[in-house]
Amino acid sequence: DAMVIQNPRYQVTQFGKPVTLSCSQTLNHNVMYWYQQKSSQAPKLLFHYYDKDFNNEADTPDNFQSRRPNTSFCFLDIRSPGLGDAAMYLCATSSIGQPTNEKLFFGSGTQLSVL
Amino acid sequence: AQTVTQSQPEMSVQEAETVTLSCTYDTSESNYYLFWYKQPPSRQMILVIRQEAYKQQNATENRFSVNFQKAAKSFSLKISDSQLGDTAMYFCAFGLIGAGSYQLTFGKGTKLSVIP
């Protein structure tokens, strides 16, 4: 029944070593989002895809990139992780225009640690 | 830009009692959505309840209900008959639909503990 799936649940990387987080969805939603949530803080939107159109938030660092090869998958790439990038990364989907779907569906998140 | 304020960083409630979480927001928009999301220790964000701004009737979902005061820009969540499983961080969120996607702004959250 999993609808938005994030792998892995926990990811450990080294300072400066590139890391990729993945998200897949079985909902066929056209919008996918990546949020960063640091400890005891609110989720912060990094960017989102509307179909293949990439939309970056103005304050998202260049260190963060994303790819969406098809409707089902979306990846978050951190090119050179710093200690400040340790956080929970949440993937979400939405499909505007369908009343029952007018909300965000979240995955379980990937907790990233940077050593 | 929209802002969402949750003025209660932490709250506690006895099991089976009722608790109200506060949320205020600031916007110049007239059409928007408001949400309460629950984030238990597992960190999964779970939608609790949603309110469309154009609807005057307050949303309800089983033991969860909201008090939506549009003029006052207030959107509080009432949890009745609190259960241990309600222990979680609760986020209030303001949502706009723009260019086919949701622009969601979250408050800082209220940590709710249900005490046996």
Side-chain angles (χ1 to χ4, degrees), chain A residues 9 30-31 33 35 37-38 40-43 45 48 50 57 88 90 94 96 99 101-108 111, chain B residues 33 35 37 39 41-47 50 52 54 89 91 97-109:
Chain A
R9 184 77 173 91
N30 53 1
V31 190
Y33 309 79
Y35 282 84
Q37 186 181 21
K38 295 188 177 181
S40 302
Q41 295 186 21
L45 181 64
H48 74 274
Y50 179 77
E57 293 299 299
M88 174 71 85
L90 297 167
S94 69
I96 307 298
N101 285 333
E102 286 178 349
K103 59 188 177 186
L104 263 62
F105 291 79
F106 282 88
S108 298
Q111 182 69 49
Chain B
Y33 296 80
F35 305 86
Y37 276 91
Q39 189 177 44
S42 66
R43 304 296 294 273
Q44 172 94 46
M45 291 283 277
I46 302 165
L47 179 68
R50 178 188 69 150
E52 293 93 334
Y54 63 85
M89 182 72 84
F91 290 97
I97 296 178
S101 64
Y102 260 117
Q103 304 299 313
L104 225 60
T105 303
F106 287 88
K108 292 187 175 182

Side-chain angles (χ1 to χ4, degrees), chain A residues 54-110:
Chain A
F54 177 69
N55 298 271
N56 199 30
E57 293 299 299
D59 56 354
T60 297
D62 293 339
N63 197 26
F64 292 87
Q65 304 287 321
S66 187
R67 296 171 284 134
R68 190 179 185 187
N70 54 51
T71 299
S72 301
F73 285 87
C74 194
F75 300 98
L76 169 62
D77 301 310
I78 308 177
R79 294 192 295 188
S80 181
L83 298 179
D85 297 327
M88 174 71 85
Y89 290 87
L90 297 167
C91 175
T93 71
S94 69
S95 184
I96 307 298
Q98 299 178 33
T100 57
N101 285 333
E102 286 178 349
K103 59 188 177 186
L104 263 62
F105 291 79
F106 282 88
S108 298
T110 294

